[in-house]
Short mmCIF file of all heavy atoms in Angstrom, two decimals:
data_model
loop_
_atom_site.label_atom_id
_atom_site.label_comp_id
_atom_site.label_asym_id
_atom_site.label_seq_id
_atom_site.Cartn_x
_atom_site.Cartn_y
_atom_site.Cartn_z
N SER D 1 122.62 90.16 145.63
CA SER D 1 121.38 89.99 144.86
C SER D 1 121.63 89.30 143.54
O SER D 1 120.82 88.48 143.09
CB SER D 1 120.70 91.34 144.64
OG SER D 1 120.35 91.97 145.84
N LEU D 2 122.74 89.63 142.90
CA LEU D 2 123.03 89.10 141.55
C LEU D 2 123.96 87.90 141.56
O LEU D 2 124.32 87.38 140.52
CB LEU D 2 123.63 90.21 140.69
CG LEU D 2 122.75 91.45 140.46
CD1 LEU D 2 123.46 92.47 139.58
CD2 LEU D 2 121.42 91.05 139.84
N ASN D 3 124.38 87.51 142.79
CA ASN D 3 125.26 86.35 142.94
C ASN D 3 126.57 86.52 142.17
O ASN D 3 127.04 85.62 141.48
CB ASN D 3 124.56 85.06 142.49
CG ASN D 3 125.27 83.81 142.97
OD1 ASN D 3 125.95 83.84 144.01
ND2 ASN D 3 125.16 82.74 142.21
N ILE D 4 127.17 87.71 142.32
CA ILE D 4 128.46 87.99 141.71
C ILE D 4 129.34 88.62 142.80
O ILE D 4 128.87 88.93 143.89
CB ILE D 4 128.34 88.95 140.50
CG1 ILE D 4 127.68 90.27 140.93
CG2 ILE D 4 127.58 88.29 139.36
CD1 ILE D 4 127.56 91.28 139.78
N SER D 5 130.63 88.82 142.51
CA SER D 5 131.54 89.38 143.51
C SER D 5 131.48 90.91 143.50
O SER D 5 131.06 91.50 142.49
CB SER D 5 132.98 88.93 143.24
OG SER D 5 133.46 89.52 142.02
N GLU D 6 131.90 91.51 144.60
CA GLU D 6 131.95 92.97 144.65
C GLU D 6 132.90 93.57 143.61
O GLU D 6 132.56 94.58 142.98
CB GLU D 6 132.34 93.44 146.06
CG GLU D 6 131.21 93.31 147.08
CD GLU D 6 131.56 93.99 148.39
OE1 GLU D 6 131.77 95.22 148.38
OE2 GLU D 6 131.64 93.29 149.41
N PRO D 7 134.08 92.96 143.37
CA PRO D 7 134.94 93.49 142.31
C PRO D 7 134.26 93.46 140.94
O PRO D 7 134.47 94.37 140.14
CB PRO D 7 136.16 92.56 142.34
CG PRO D 7 136.24 92.10 143.75
CD PRO D 7 134.81 91.93 144.17
N THR D 8 133.44 92.46 140.70
CA THR D 8 132.70 92.39 139.44
C THR D 8 131.70 93.53 139.34
O THR D 8 131.53 94.15 138.29
CB THR D 8 132.00 91.04 139.29
OG1 THR D 8 132.97 89.98 139.29
CG2 THR D 8 131.22 90.98 137.97
N VAL D 9 131.05 93.81 140.45
CA VAL D 9 130.10 94.95 140.49
C VAL D 9 130.84 96.24 140.17
O VAL D 9 130.37 97.06 139.37
CB VAL D 9 129.42 95.06 141.86
CG1 VAL D 9 128.61 96.36 141.96
CG2 VAL D 9 128.52 93.85 142.13
N LYS D 10 132.03 96.42 140.76
CA LYS D 10 132.80 97.65 140.53
C LYS D 10 133.24 97.75 139.06
O LYS D 10 133.26 98.83 138.49
CB LYS D 10 134.03 97.67 141.44
CG LYS D 10 133.68 97.83 142.90
CD LYS D 10 134.93 97.84 143.79
CE LYS D 10 134.58 97.98 145.25
NZ LYS D 10 135.80 97.97 146.12
N THR D 11 133.56 96.62 138.46
CA THR D 11 133.92 96.61 137.04
C THR D 11 132.74 97.04 136.18
O THR D 11 132.88 97.87 135.26
CB THR D 11 134.40 95.22 136.60
OG1 THR D 11 135.57 94.88 137.34
CG2 THR D 11 134.73 95.20 135.12
N HIS D 12 131.55 96.50 136.46
CA HIS D 12 130.36 96.88 135.72
C HIS D 12 130.05 98.38 135.93
O HIS D 12 129.69 99.06 134.96
CB HIS D 12 129.16 96.06 136.18
CG HIS D 12 129.15 94.66 135.66
ND1 HIS D 12 129.22 94.37 134.31
CD2 HIS D 12 129.08 93.44 136.28
CE1 HIS D 12 129.17 93.05 134.13
NE2 HIS D 12 129.11 92.48 135.32
N LEU D 13 130.23 98.86 137.14
CA LEU D 13 129.98 100.29 137.40
C LEU D 13 130.94 101.14 136.61
O LEU D 13 130.56 102.19 136.07
CB LEU D 13 130.12 100.58 138.89
CG LEU D 13 128.96 100.13 139.79
CD1 LEU D 13 129.31 100.34 141.26
CD2 LEU D 13 127.68 100.88 139.45
N ALA D 14 132.22 100.73 136.53
CA ALA D 14 133.19 101.48 135.74
C ALA D 14 132.78 101.55 134.28
O ALA D 14 132.90 102.61 133.64
CB ALA D 14 134.58 100.84 135.87
N ASN D 15 132.26 100.43 133.75
CA ASN D 15 131.78 100.43 132.37
C ASN D 15 130.58 101.35 132.19
O ASN D 15 130.45 102.05 131.17
CB ASN D 15 131.43 99.00 131.96
CG ASN D 15 132.64 98.10 131.82
OD1 ASN D 15 133.75 98.58 131.60
ND2 ASN D 15 132.44 96.80 131.99
N ILE D 16 129.68 101.35 133.16
CA ILE D 16 128.49 102.21 133.12
C ILE D 16 128.93 103.68 133.11
O ILE D 16 128.45 104.49 132.34
CB ILE D 16 127.57 101.91 134.30
CG1 ILE D 16 126.93 100.52 134.13
CG2 ILE D 16 126.45 102.97 134.39
CD1 ILE D 16 126.17 100.04 135.36
N TYR D 17 129.87 104.01 134.03
CA TYR D 17 130.36 105.37 134.10
C TYR D 17 130.95 105.82 132.75
O TYR D 17 130.70 106.92 132.29
CB TYR D 17 131.42 105.51 135.18
CG TYR D 17 130.97 105.26 136.60
CD1 TYR D 17 131.89 105.06 137.63
CD2 TYR D 17 129.61 105.17 136.95
CE1 TYR D 17 131.50 104.82 138.93
CE2 TYR D 17 129.20 104.95 138.22
CZ TYR D 17 130.13 104.76 139.22
OH TYR D 17 129.75 104.52 140.51
N PHE D 18 131.74 104.93 132.16
CA PHE D 18 132.39 105.26 130.90
C PHE D 18 131.35 105.50 129.81
O PHE D 18 131.44 106.47 129.06
CB PHE D 18 133.35 104.14 130.48
CG PHE D 18 133.98 104.33 129.12
CD1 PHE D 18 135.02 105.23 128.98
CD2 PHE D 18 133.50 103.67 128.01
CE1 PHE D 18 135.61 105.45 127.72
CE2 PHE D 18 134.07 103.87 126.75
CZ PHE D 18 135.14 104.76 126.63
N LYS D 19 130.36 104.64 129.73
CA LYS D 19 129.37 104.76 128.65
C LYS D 19 128.46 105.99 128.84
O LYS D 19 128.01 106.58 127.86
CB LYS D 19 128.52 103.47 128.59
CG LYS D 19 129.29 102.26 128.10
CD LYS D 19 128.45 101.01 128.10
CE LYS D 19 129.24 99.80 127.63
NZ LYS D 19 128.41 98.56 127.61
N LEU D 20 128.22 106.36 130.10
CA LEU D 20 127.37 107.51 130.37
C LEU D 20 128.16 108.81 130.46
O LEU D 20 127.59 109.89 130.55
CB LEU D 20 126.57 107.30 131.66
CG LEU D 20 125.52 106.18 131.65
CD1 LEU D 20 124.84 106.10 133.02
CD2 LEU D 20 124.49 106.40 130.55
N GLY D 21 129.51 108.69 130.49
CA GLY D 21 130.35 109.87 130.59
C GLY D 21 130.32 110.52 131.96
O GLY D 21 130.37 111.75 132.08
N VAL D 22 130.25 109.68 133.01
CA VAL D 22 130.19 110.21 134.38
C VAL D 22 131.27 109.52 135.22
O VAL D 22 131.99 108.65 134.72
CB VAL D 22 128.80 109.97 135.01
CG1 VAL D 22 127.72 110.69 134.21
CG2 VAL D 22 128.49 108.47 135.10
N ASP D 23 131.38 109.92 136.50
CA ASP D 23 132.39 109.30 137.35
C ASP D 23 131.90 109.02 138.76
O ASP D 23 132.69 108.88 139.69
CB ASP D 23 133.67 110.15 137.40
CG ASP D 23 133.42 111.55 137.91
OD1 ASP D 23 132.28 111.82 138.36
OD2 ASP D 23 134.35 112.36 137.90
N SER D 24 130.57 108.94 138.94
CA SER D 24 130.04 108.61 140.27
C SER D 24 128.69 107.98 140.13
O SER D 24 128.01 108.11 139.10
CB SER D 24 129.93 109.86 141.15
OG SER D 24 128.89 110.71 140.70
N ARG D 25 128.25 107.29 141.18
CA ARG D 25 126.94 106.64 141.19
C ARG D 25 125.81 107.65 141.03
O ARG D 25 124.89 107.46 140.23
CB ARG D 25 126.77 105.88 142.51
CG ARG D 25 127.78 104.77 142.73
CD ARG D 25 127.77 104.34 144.18
NE ARG D 25 126.61 103.53 144.54
CZ ARG D 25 126.60 102.21 144.50
NH1 ARG D 25 127.68 101.54 144.11
NH2 ARG D 25 125.55 101.55 144.88
N ALA D 26 125.90 108.74 141.80
CA ALA D 26 124.84 109.73 141.75
C ALA D 26 124.74 110.36 140.36
O ALA D 26 123.63 110.57 139.85
CB ALA D 26 125.08 110.82 142.81
N SER D 27 125.87 110.65 139.76
CA SER D 27 125.87 111.23 138.42
C SER D 27 125.30 110.25 137.41
O SER D 27 124.58 110.63 136.49
CB SER D 27 127.28 111.66 138.00
OG SER D 27 127.77 112.67 138.83
N ALA D 28 125.62 108.96 137.57
CA ALA D 28 125.10 107.95 136.66
C ALA D 28 123.59 107.90 136.72
O ALA D 28 122.89 107.83 135.72
CB ALA D 28 125.69 106.58 136.99
N VAL D 29 123.05 107.94 137.96
CA VAL D 29 121.60 107.93 138.13
C VAL D 29 120.97 109.18 137.52
O VAL D 29 119.98 109.10 136.80
CB VAL D 29 121.24 107.81 139.64
CG1 VAL D 29 119.73 108.03 139.83
CG2 VAL D 29 121.64 106.45 140.17
N ALA D 30 121.58 110.34 137.81
CA ALA D 30 121.02 111.61 137.31
C ALA D 30 121.00 111.64 135.77
O ALA D 30 120.00 112.01 135.16
CB ALA D 30 121.82 112.78 137.86
#
C-alpha cells in the first residue's frame, strides 16, 4: 500500500514500539 519494502515496514514498527513502550502490534494498537 505504501510502496515500501517489508524490512522498512518492520523498521518503522520497531520505532513505533519503542516510542509507545510496547513490543507487539496488538499492544501498540491498544
Side-chain angles (χ1 to χ4, degrees):
S1 298
L2 299 180
N3 196 28
I4 58 178
S5 68
E6 285 190 61
T8 299
V9 172
K10 292 179 180 179
T11 297
H12 284 304
L13 285 173
N15 291 335
I16 292 170
Y17 296 166
F18 176 77
K19 292 178 180 180
L20 294 179
V22 300
D23 59 6
S24 72
R25 298 164 75 94
S27 296
V29 171

